[in-house]
Each structure stands twice: as C-alpha cells, then as structure tokens.
Amino acid sequence: MRIKITPCRCTPTEIKLHKLSAMLEIHFDDGSIFELPSEYLRVYTQSAEAVGHGPGQETLQTGKQDVSITDIRPVGNYAIALTFSDGHNSGIYSWDLLYKLGSEFPLLWSNYLEQLSAAGISRKSPLKN
C-alpha cells in the first residue's frame, strides 16, 4: 500500500525485535516510542513488489497475519531492511517511513482492514488469482 512519506527529522535511538509478540519496538530521539506489528510492517512495505513502479500498480498484501520478522539489517544511516518469515526481504524502511507508520498506526491499520473487507478477504486469506 503506497503512502506519502514526509521527513520527520528524527532518528531511532533504539530498535528492538520482540519475537514472541512479533512486534518491532522503535524509540526515536524526539521521545516517541512505537510498537509495530510484523504484519503491519509487511503489508505496508514500499517495495516495488507491493507498490509497483507508479500509482495504480499497488498489490493488496494478503495472508500476512502470522508473518514475523526474521532479520533486521542496517541500510546506511537512514533505514533498515527487514526480512519476513514469508521470504519477503526487498523492502527498505527509512526512519521517515517507520516514524509515519508509528505515528499514524490507527489510521493506516484501519485503512488496510477496510481494503481487505472491500475485497472480501480476511487477514488470513491468500490473494485469489
């Protein structure tokens, strides 16, 4: 799901992966702390596989309810790359993207659930071809 990202001018001071709860906890230097579910991060990947190369090419990510993060790799001084249990590993999560996903979690999560509902798909359902 493509989202507009604006600069937050914040950097993480701590990133923790909670494997049992499948949550990524991120502390930013402005005092913000976000706990982001793996499923949420997976469905909001900004990789070309999910959002295409331009508007209107997005693919609704489905069947990700039980996905977890298996690896976190730094990308320069501006992002992390996450590997998920479903094999997805091409998304780069910039500090700006992570901040937006954290600060707008209720709205973005609701939007995702509404899109699933409109498509007649549950969170566990795979995409029908």
Side-chain angles (χ1 to χ4, degrees):
M1 296 177 51
R2 185 181 306 276
I3 57 175
K4 183 178 178 184
I5 303 165
T6 55
C8 69
R9 295 176 176 68
C10 298
T11 56
T13 57
E14 187 173 5
I15 299 173
K16 294 182 195 176
L17 177 59
H18 299 280
K19 290 187 178 189
L20 288 178
S21 63
M23 300 285 272
L24 187 69
E25 180 181 334
I26 307 170
H27 297 237
F28 281 90
D29 59 5
D30 70 347
S32 298
I33 300 172
F34 305 117
E35 291 184 346
L36 306 174
S38 296
E39 176 187 11
Y40 175 65
L41 291 166
R42 176 61 181 86
V43 301
Y44 273 101
T45 180
Q46 297 299 289
S47 71
E49 170 189 323
V51 299
H53 294 285
Q57 297 180 351
E58 299 83 4
T59 301
L60 182 61
Q61 302 296 296
T62 63
K64 306 302 179 191
Q65 183 175 11
D66 297 324
V67 77
S68 60
I69 296 168
T70 59
D71 189 42
I72 302 172
R73 298 174 319 283
V75 178
N77 292 320
Y78 70 95
I80 54 177
L82 302 177
T83 299
F84 294 90
S85 58
D86 66 353
H88 180 71
N89 66 358
S90 60
I92 294 176
Y93 294 79
S94 69
W95 306 148
D96 293 338
L97 173 60
L98 289 167
Y99 196 90
K100 178 164 185 101
L101 291 172
S103 62
E104 297 184 20
F105 175 79
L107 174 63
L108 293 172
W109 184 246
S110 176
N111 287 347
Y112 172 66
L113 296 177
E114 287 173 14
Q115 286 190 23
L116 286 179
S117 179
I121 300 171
S122 76
R123 287 172 51 212
K124 277 200 170 277
S125 299
L127 184 61
K128 297 173 186 166
N129 292 329

